[in-house]
Amino acid sequence: MSTNSDRPDYVDPRFPGPDPYAALGDHPTFPLSSTDFNNGDKFGPGIVATEDNPGLSPQLSWSNLPEGTKSIAITCLDPDAPTGSGYWHWAVFNIPVEVNELPTGAGSTAALERISSVDGAEHIVTLKGDSGLRQYFGPMPPSGHGPHRYLFAVHAVDVETLDIDPDATPTVLGFNLYFHTLARSIAWGWYEND
């Protein structure tokens, strides 16, 4: 994952924002991949948002979670947004540990409900992102602002359920994950609106 000493590969001079995970402590990683994009590549049209379509969340699969993992959380952050705090595109948590993959498009509320055949899936919570939607919202950086990274972080969590208000912000989830993350892996791509 690293290209320069211990620096993650998503820390790249092409992008203006910081490493949002630098202050959150070092954690082990685990295999994380997507059939919809290659790590570090520009996203294709299906994943990105348009004026009338929030886009489809990419397929994500993971394995070899550390012992003690009891649930999964997934976030997507654009650290290059001109906000001073990034832009949250997706935040979902309390995914049962038995789940090891989300298919393309699982970021919609209806798609996540289909996972309900897994015990504990009724506790899955999706928070409203900065788009105001309670679902995945794809890359849509401001025109002419340059390339933005989109970091899909899968967190191995040490509790079955995080007791977070469903109307809380992804930042509140991030704060709770600081205390409950056993391991974290990041898959990322980028997008630019000319």
Side-chain angles (χ1 to χ4, degrees):
M1 179 177 190
S2 296
T3 57
N4 183 8
S5 67
D6 291 331
R7 187 179 76 185
D9 61 356
Y10 60 80
V11 176
D12 184 308
R14 293 177 295 165
F15 307 102
D19 174 1
Y21 294 99
L24 301 183
D26 291 329
H27 291 290
T29 61
F30 47 86
L32 171 64
S33 63
S34 176
T35 58
D36 291 323
F37 68 94
N38 292 318
N39 219 29
D41 283 356
K42 185 176 182 180
F43 288 124
I47 295 172
V48 302
T50 63
E51 292 296 331
D52 55 0
N53 186 338
L56 294 174
S57 60
Q59 183 273 350
L60 296 170
S61 58
W62 53 89
S63 60
N64 299 330
L65 300 175
E67 187 175 338
T69 302
K70 295 183 178 175
S71 67
I72 304 296
I74 300 175
T75 57
C76 178
L77 176 69
D78 169 3
D80 303 309
T83 64
S85 60
Y87 190 98
W88 290 103
H89 285 259
W90 194 24
V92 58
F93 61 99
N94 295 345
I95 299 170
V97 70
E98 294 81 11
V99 175
N100 59 15
E101 174 184 11
L102 290 184
T104 303
S108 71
T109 302
L112 277 175
E113 287 172 357
R114 283 185 226 128
I115 299 172
S116 62
S117 62
V118 176
D119 285 343
E122 66 273 10
H123 300 294
I124 295 174
V125 176
T126 301
L127 301 175
K128 284 185 182 178
D130 288 330
S131 67
L133 301 175
R134 194 177 295 276
Q135 66 177 55
Y136 171 81
F137 183 79
M140 193 176 176
S143 182
H145 192 256
H148 286 208
R149 294 164 294 170
Y150 299 87
L151 309 181
F152 290 88
V154 177
H155 311 260
V157 181
D158 66 0
V159 293
E160 289 182 11
T161 56
L162 289 167
D163 187 19
I164 299 172
D165 187 319
D167 291 323
T169 65
T171 301
V172 172
L173 172 60
F175 179 76
N176 280 267
L177 289 172
Y178 177 81
F179 298 101
H180 292 285
T181 295
L182 296 173
R184 175 178 56 240
S185 288
I186 297 171
W188 71 284
W190 63 276
Y191 193 71
E192 178 176 12
N193 275 320
D194 299 324

